[in-house]
Amino acid sequence: MAEKLVFLSDEYFRTVTDRPVFPQITGETIAQRFDTSLPVEAEPLESLIDDCRAIIDGSRHNGHPRFFGYVASPSTPAGGFADLLASTLNPSVTSWRSAPAPAQVERTVVRWLGSLIGYDDNAVGLLTSGGSMANLTALLIAHRAKAEHAVAQEGIANGAERMMIYVSAQVHMSIPKAADVLGLGQKSVRIIPSDDRFCFNAIALDEASKTDQRNNLKPFCVVASAGTAASGAVDPLAEIGDVARRHGLWFHIDGAYGAPAAMVKECKPRFAGLELADSVSLDPHKWLYTPVDCGCLLLRDAAAARKPFVAEGEYVKVHETAELESFAFWDYGIELSRRFRALKIWLTLKFYGARRIAEAIAEDMEMAKYMAQQIEADPEFELLAPVQLSICCFRYVPASLSDQMKSANNHEERENLHAELNRLNERIMHRMQRGGRAYLSNAMLCDTFALRACIINFRTTRADIDITLETVRQTARELEAEENS
Amino acid sequence: MAEKLVFLSDEYFRTVTDRPVFPQITGETIAQRFDTSLPVEAEPLESLIDDCRAIIDGSRHNGHPRFFGYVASPSTPAGGFADLLASTLNPSVTSWRSAPAPAQVERTVVRWLGSLIGYDDNAVGLLTSGGSMANLTALLIAHRAKAEHAVAQEGIANGAERMMIYVSAQVHMSIPKAADVLGLGQKSVRIIPSDDRFCFNAIALDEASKTDQRNNLKPFCVVASAGTAASGAVDPLAEIGDVARRHGLWFHIDGAYGAPAAMVKECKPRFAGLELADSVSLDPHKWLYTPVDCGCLLLRDAAAARKPFVAEGEYVKVHETAELESFAFWDYGIELSRRFRALKIWLTLKFYGARRIAEAIAEDMEMAKYMAQQIEADPEFELLAPVQLSICCFRYVPASLSDQMKSANNHEERENLHAELNRLNERIMHRMQRGGRAYLSNAMLCDTFALRACIINFRTTRADIDITLETVRQTARELEAEENS
């Protein structure tokens, strides 16, 4: 079985480029194939390998060079095989006691990631399953650091002031979801309109925080983005950090997608202020090309973040005296059992070197710029947001609608055309996703439906960009022809 | 690199039995070896493979036949290589849209796990990183189902009644931690003393809930254990379920460790009532021998658990109409990015068959019974809890102290002897853990320090049990000799 699964893995890495990006299947056919009864007796190996092939064939291929949906990068082969060793050794990285070398490797890898964003050796952190868990944990630590009562014992205090979090309109959904999960409620999330580049407006933040204080609310946290999921916008981190400092707010940066771009020399000025954050989320399973799952929460000052949780009980009592040996990840995170996620980062960075990874990131950004150039050169396309990192948001505007928009002379007419364009681009996206040639997802930028390409893939070339844009045009024409027939 | 890592994995599975259970190292030596600077340039392959060997050598080996600490099972080779394919294919199992076949495989595997505990096709669920995350998610869903106000919007309501969770004194630490994280506070967790078999006392639960209601608190949830972490006690599930029903409480069962034993025919009566639970946690990375991480939360009634969270935003808008194709795991869990955890359960159950897995579980339970027999036959040992599943709690009592305890004629004297025994057994555990021959952890049973062996390992034989008990005796004698010298 080992031999056959290694063969399948090897074959997959070699052939992913030749597959359709998305399989030609329906929910029903997949269910018919896989929704079987519990296997009581062992099944023959051949049938298991057939299953594996069918699972591969029934998957969307995030590693395909024309997969541009969401923020989903391919794994390097090094990352895949690192996960084999992690599962073979099978430590649960709860603490030094339970996994001495793996725990040390995780602490070291976290220090490396901290150094990429300008943190020093006072920082601490831990790997999580992804950005949602890192953001949730950050808000939890922030709340406990800023709350004036014993939340661990009392809960979100009855009768206390409502504690407020400030975000831009471009914030990732995981932040309001975290506010919900933590019992703060979405009412505790103040959404500040973003500017015309979809960035956080520091002046509006300052004003909102002041207004809330006057109204007996207690501002405690601001979340900025170092690369929004919608358009890759990098907020003015230093400015936000300055407001945070003046208002005594915990400064969290969601850099799940974008923070690794701080490794690229030309990007450094844009990320100035990252190092001011009290906490930063950064997902190695995004722009460091490791397999899912691998997120990271970085905390600038270990002392300020120390033991926000109650982790009592004999079960986790560490019977050690040496400081290194009494370290436990459960003091900083929610999980107890923890996979050895650090190994794939360790081997990826050592096998390729940080410089080469930075080059791959820079190349992805180049691709997005190239895409934007092609879009701006084509009157049938409209670029909808500046390309700040490696996301390109645009829409298809057929000549007929383009003319109508120019001549539209009242609000209602313009609104109708706008709605028609939204519907058209949604249909283009949907058909393209199922077509299997190239995969785009979408973003809503204010009320505009954007086709969105997120390029975090070392396999993508300029030719892939060209094919993708050509597929948009073709798909639009197909839809038009169908409508007219 | 792939070839070499496959070789290392294969070698590890063949040699784990011959290794010391715990490496002869300190935090400092490990840090010296691994706490290096960020690798800017690629390192030679040989040096990476050396790192991997050093990581293996610097690990505790949960797969060793004499590793009995905590609840940490070995991975089967099938599970390890399944994880290779999961990381190669690298889907993020957020929804059907993002991973059609992997999402279906997860839903099917969850249905299989549900069927093991008597759930029918109305059940739903999802894989998590472990029991802590499954328990946290269960409490969150329970709270939202029972709260009478709009918690998602408002947060834990100001001025509302405090909502209470009932647990036994043997509850796993993840439950009070979850209450803390969710903003309920530990004051919301009412701890009911367990009975003399360390089981939940249903009558005391009934009374506590009534008292709290009279005091204007709002009981909403009870958490029972199908196998406590300390001693493997299985609570009287049907009785607790009955109280839960009468009081309108959400009934959650933490079966992270023990629930898979419901597969074993002779155990079925003991688990009667599992199927009554509104939710059950069950960790495949424990007694189904898959690699970490792999927990599972099962929910009896999909309709009752539907969308407890706010998951808004264009990013997760599913542009599908078919029901199967619009399924998303983010509607039930906290994570957005999710590893393809289902594959290792799928391949483990198909490769070995559920019957053989059940036999391995039964054998582990046999081993624990055998251990208890050896302990009861030896006057130097004292069994501290009945063996209900595969955990055996005991202590070493040297003849000298045993005699003194019999002749002790006042409370203070007995307390002093008790404290001395606690210290002695703690020292035995610590030295054994570092010795590398066999690994026990501990449990505090009331105020008694117990040496604790949790046997969830298909490699363990009776000879391993004998060697472990002999190592306890030898270690005790060593300590005695040192004290007298």
Side-chain angles (χ1 to χ4, degrees):
Chain A
M1 180 179 194
E3 200 180 293
K4 287 187 194 295
L5 290 180
V6 171
F7 179 83
L8 278 186
S9 293
D10 182 52
E11 184 185 57
Y12 184 76
F13 282 120
R14 282 186 289 103
T15 59
V16 59
T17 298
D18 309 324
R19 292 174 171 275
V21 185
F22 196 90
Q24 301 302 308
I25 40 134
T26 65
E28 220 169 305
T29 53
I30 287 270
Q32 275 165 8
R33 173 70 176 83
F34 292 105
D35 204 20
T36 56
S37 58
L38 175 72
V40 176
E41 301 299 333
E43 294 184 6
L45 182 57
E46 294 70 41
S47 132
L48 267 66
I49 301 302
D50 282 351
D51 281 357
C52 289
R53 284 197 185 279
I55 289 170
I56 294 172
D57 292 343
S59 289
R60 195 185 72 189
H61 302 292
N62 300 350
H64 190 285
R66 288 190 296 280
F67 176 77
F68 302 123
Y70 318 101
V71 190
S73 69
S75 165
T76 62
F81 283 90
D83 257 337
L84 165 64
L85 190 59
S87 290
T88 297
L89 183 59
N90 197 32
S92 182
V93 192
T94 58
S95 57
W96 190 92
R97 166 182 80 182
S98 282
Q104 179 61 58
V105 168
E106 178 161 344
R107 294 183 72 181
T108 299
V109 159
V110 164
R111 189 169 54 69
W112 292 350
L113 298 177
S115 74
L116 297 182
I117 61 159
Y119 275 3
D120 63 23
D121 287 353
N122 291 320
V124 71
L126 80 171
L127 302 178
T128 65
S129 64
S132 287
M133 283 303 295
N135 284 338
L136 174 74
T137 309
L139 288 196
L140 176 56
I141 291 173
H143 183 261
R144 298 307 188 260
K146 298 292 184 182
E148 276 151 24
H149 68 290
V151 189
Q153 279 305 316
E154 298 289 334
I156 305 289
N158 279 347
E161 300 160 305
R162 182 178 283 280
M163 290 175 69
M164 299 297 294
I165 303 167
Y166 298 82
V167 302
S168 99
Q170 299 298 314
V171 74
H172 189 259
M173 60 166 276
S174 57
I175 298 292
K177 187 168 178 175
D180 174 358
V181 169
L182 297 175
L184 297 164
Q186 301 224 357
K187 260 199 184 168
S188 294
V189 181
R190 179 78 65 219
I191 299 172
I192 314 283
S194 45
D195 67 18
D196 57 0
R197 290 169 54 87
F198 306 103
C199 291
F200 210 133
N201 184 329
I203 297 165
L205 166 66
D206 184 62
E207 282 164 9
S209 171
K210 280 180 188 153
T211 306
D212 283 347
Q213 274 173 290
R214 277 195 300 273
N215 292 325
N216 293 321
L217 301 170
K218 184 181 156 69
F220 82 97
C221 182
V222 57
V223 180
S225 298
T228 61
S231 71
V234 180
D235 290 334
L237 304 176
E239 285 175 41
I240 302 290
D242 185 52
V243 179
R245 190 184 46 76
R246 283 190 285 111
H247 290 245
L249 306 178
W250 184 279
F251 181 25
H252 176 65
I253 295 178
D254 181 354
Y257 152 55
M263 290 166 76
V264 178
K265 209 177 158 205
E266 302 78 63
C267 292
K268 283 214 190 305
R270 222 177 316 159
F271 287 99
L274 255 183
E275 73 290 352
L276 301 173
D278 294 297
S279 53
V280 175
S281 303
L282 182 165
D283 281 0
H285 72 204
K286 294 194 166 94
W287 228 345
L288 292 179
Y289 313 107
T290 77
V292 168
D293 55 11
C294 201
C296 181
L297 173 63
L298 297 163
L299 297 151
R300 196 191 58 214
D301 180 359
R306 182 111 189 102
K307 302 206 181 189
F309 313 104
V310 181
E312 289 172 341
E314 203 49 37
Y315 199 69
V316 293
K317 191 175 159 194
V318 173
H319 302 259
E320 297 291 350
T321 45
E323 204 194 327
L324 277 168
E325 297 170 21
S326 62
F327 183 88
F329 288 102
W330 63 66
D331 285 336
Y332 300 96
I334 295 171
E335 296 177 324
L336 182 55
S337 294
R338 296 174 71 254
R339 185 173 167 75
F340 185 16
R341 298 178 177 118
L343 185 62
K344 50 194 170 193
I345 309 176
W346 175 273
L347 286 182
T348 299
L349 284 170
K350 288 207 164 198
F351 189 68
Y352 302 100
R355 197 166 58 86
R356 193 160 153 210
I357 302 284
E359 283 168 10
I361 293 172
E363 215 170 290
D364 287 338
M365 293 171 62
E366 268 310 308
M367 290 296 142
K369 266 189 228 160
Y370 173 78
M371 190 173 208
Q373 285 160 6
Q374 305 310 302
I375 284 164
E376 293 201 294
D378 185 336
E380 281 190 311
F381 286 132
E382 181 185 351
L383 189 68
L384 292 173
V387 171
Q388 298 190 41
L389 295 175
S390 72
I391 292 175
C392 187
C393 288
F394 65 105
R395 63 176 170 180
Y396 179 79
V397 185
S400 57
L401 282 181
S402 185
D403 292 345
Q404 286 180 52
M405 281 184 89
K406 274 173 209 147
S407 62
N409 47 24
N410 67 50
H411 180 72
E412 202 191 330
E413 215 174 303
R414 275 192 299 273
E415 284 294 295
N416 287 341
L417 288 166
H418 184 75
E420 196 174 329
L421 272 178
N422 280 1
R423 276 193 303 275
L424 172 62
N425 280 277
E426 183 169 347
R427 289 174 64 210
I428 292 172
M429 178 190 77
H430 194 264
R431 178 164 297 200
M432 269 186 71
Q433 286 185 346
R434 289 307 189 91
R437 192 158 162 76
Y439 195 108
L440 299 171
S441 61
N442 71 302
M444 286 304 289
L445 294 172
C446 302
D447 59 349
T448 300
F449 186 100
L451 298 172
R452 170 185 167 285
C454 176
I455 305 166
I456 46 171
N457 191 329
F458 45 79
R459 293 192 183 94
T460 303
T461 64
R462 280 178 172 72
D464 292 311
I465 305 286
D466 293 338
I467 292 170
T468 301
L469 292 176
E470 187 50 34
T471 308
V472 177
R473 292 184 197 99
Q474 277 173 13
T475 307
R477 273 169 217 138
E478 269 171 44
L479 287 169
E480 208 179 358
E482 285 169 26
E483 216 136 277
N484 296 340
S485 74
Chain B
M1 180 179 193
E3 200 180 293
K4 287 189 193 294
L5 290 181
V6 171
F7 179 83
L8 277 186
S9 293
D10 182 52
E11 184 185 59
Y12 184 77
F13 281 120
R14 283 187 289 102
T15 60
V16 58
T17 299
D18 309 325
R19 292 175 172 275
V21 185
F22 196 90
Q24 303 300 308
I25 41 134
T26 65
E28 219 170 305
T29 53
I30 287 272
Q32 274 166 9
R33 173 69 176 82
F34 293 104
D35 204 20
T36 55
S37 59
L38 176 72
V40 176
E41 300 300 334
E43 295 184 4
L45 182 57
E46 295 69 42
S47 130
L48 267 67
I49 300 302
D50 282 350
D51 281 357
C52 289
R53 284 198 184 276
I55 289 170
I56 294 172
D57 293 342
S59 289
R60 194 183 72 189
H61 302 291
N62 301 351
H64 190 285
R66 289 190 295 281
F67 176 77
F68 301 123
Y70 318 102
V71 191
S73 69
S75 165
T76 63
F81 283 90
D83 257 336
L84 165 65
L85 190 60
S87 290
T88 298
L89 184 58
N90 198 30
S92 182
V93 192
T94 58
S95 57
W96 190 92
R97 166 183 81 181
S98 282
Q104 179 61 58
V105 168
E106 178 162 344
R107 294 183 73 180
T108 299
V109 159
V110 165
R111 190 170 53 70
W112 292 350
L113 298 178
S115 74
L116 296 182
I117 61 159
Y119 275 2
D120 64 22
D121 287 354
N122 292 319
V124 71
L126 80 171
L127 302 178
T128 65
S129 64
S132 286
M133 283 303 295
N135 285 338
L136 174 74
T137 309
L139 288 196
L140 176 57
I141 292 173
H143 182 261
R144 299 307 189 259
K146 298 293 183 181
E148 277 151 24
H149 67 290
V151 189
Q153 279 305 316
E154 297 289 333
I156 306 288
N158 279 347
E161 301 159 305
R162 181 179 283 281
M163 290 176 68
M164 300 296 294
I165 303 167
Y166 300 83
V167 303
S168 97
Q170 299 298 314
V171 73
H172 189 258
M173 60 166 278
S174 57
I175 298 293
K177 186 169 180 175
D180 173 359
V181 169
L182 297 175
L184 297 165
Q186 301 226 352
K187 259 198 184 169
S188 294
V189 181
R190 179 78 65 218
I191 298 172
I192 315 282
S194 46
D195 68 17
D196 56 1
R197 288 169 55 85
F198 305 103
C199 291
F200 209 133
N201 184 329
I203 297 166
L205 166 66
D206 184 64
E207 282 164 9
S209 172
K210 280 180 189 153
T211 306
D212 282 347
Q213 275 173 289
R214 278 195 299 274
N215 292 326
N216 293 321
L217 301 169
K218 184 180 157 68
F220 83 96
C221 181
V222 57
V223 180
S225 298
T228 60
S231 71
V234 180
D235 290 335
L237 304 176
E239 287 175 41
I240 302 290
D242 186 53
V243 179
R245 188 184 47 74
R246 284 188 284 112
H247 290 245
L249 307 178
W250 183 279
F251 181 24
H252 176 64
I253 295 178
D254 180 354
Y257 152 55
M263 291 166 75
V264 178
K265 209 177 156 203
E266 302 78 62
C267 292
K268 281 214 192 303
R270 222 175 315 160
F271 287 98
L274 254 183
E275 73 289 352
L276 302 173
D278 294 296
S279 53
V280 174
S281 303
L282 182 165
D283 280 1
H285 71 204
K286 294 194 168 94
W287 227 344
L288 293 179
Y289 313 107
T290 78
V292 169
D293 57 11
C294 200
C296 180
L297 174 63
L298 297 162
L299 297 151
R300 197 190 58 216
D301 180 359
R306 182 111 188 104
K307 303 207 181 188
F309 313 106
V310 180
E312 287 173 342
E314 201 51 33
Y315 198 69
V316 292
K317 191 175 158 194
V318 173
H319 302 259
E320 298 290 349
T321 45
E323 204 195 326
L324 277 168
E325 296 170 20
S326 62
F327 183 88
F329 288 103
W330 63 67
D331 285 336
Y332 301 96
I334 296 171
E335 295 177 325
L336 182 55
S337 294
R338 295 173 71 254
R339 184 173 167 76
F340 186 15
R341 299 180 177 117
L343 186 63
K344 51 194 168 192
I345 310 178
W346 175 273
L347 287 182
T348 298
L349 285 170
K350 289 207 164 198
F351 188 68
Y352 301 100
R355 197 166 58 86
R356 193 159 153 211
I357 302 284
E359 284 168 9
I361 294 173
E363 214 170 292
D364 286 338
M365 292 171 64
E366 269 308 308
M367 290 296 143
K369 267 190 225 159
Y370 172 77
M371 191 173 207
Q373 285 161 5
Q374 305 310 304
I375 285 163
E376 294 201 294
D378 185 336
E380 281 190 312
F381 286 133
E382 180 185 352
L383 189 68
L384 293 172
V387 171
Q388 298 189 41
L389 294 174
S390 72
I391 292 176
C392 187
C393 288
F394 65 104
R395 65 177 169 179
Y396 179 79
V397 185
S400 56
L401 282 181
S402 185
D403 293 344
Q404 285 179 52
M405 281 184 90
K406 275 172 209 148
S407 62
N409 47 23
N410 67 52
H411 180 71
E412 202 192 328
E413 213 174 306
R414 274 190 300 273
E415 284 294 293
N416 285 341
L417 288 166
H418 184 75
E420 195 173 329
L421 273 177
N422 280 0
R423 276 193 305 274
L424 172 62
N425 280 277
E426 183 169 345
R427 289 174 65 209
I428 292 171
M429 178 190 78
H430 194 263
R431 178 165 298 198
M432 269 185 73
Q433 286 186 346
R434 290 306 189 91
R437 192 159 164 75
Y439 195 108
L440 299 171
S441 61
N442 70 301
M444 286 305 287
L445 295 172
C446 301
D447 59 348
T448 300
F449 186 98
L451 298 172
R452 170 185 168 284
C454 176
I455 305 165
I456 47 171
N457 191 328
F458 44 79
R459 291 191 185 95
T460 302
T461 64
R462 282 179 171 71
D464 292 311
I465 305 285
D466 293 338
I467 293 169
T468 301
L469 292 176
E470 186 50 36
T471 309
V472 177
R473 290 183 199 102
Q474 276 173 13
T475 308
R477 272 170 218 138
E478 269 171 45
L479 288 169
E480 208 179 0
E482 284 169 28
E483 216 137 275
N484 297 337
S485 72

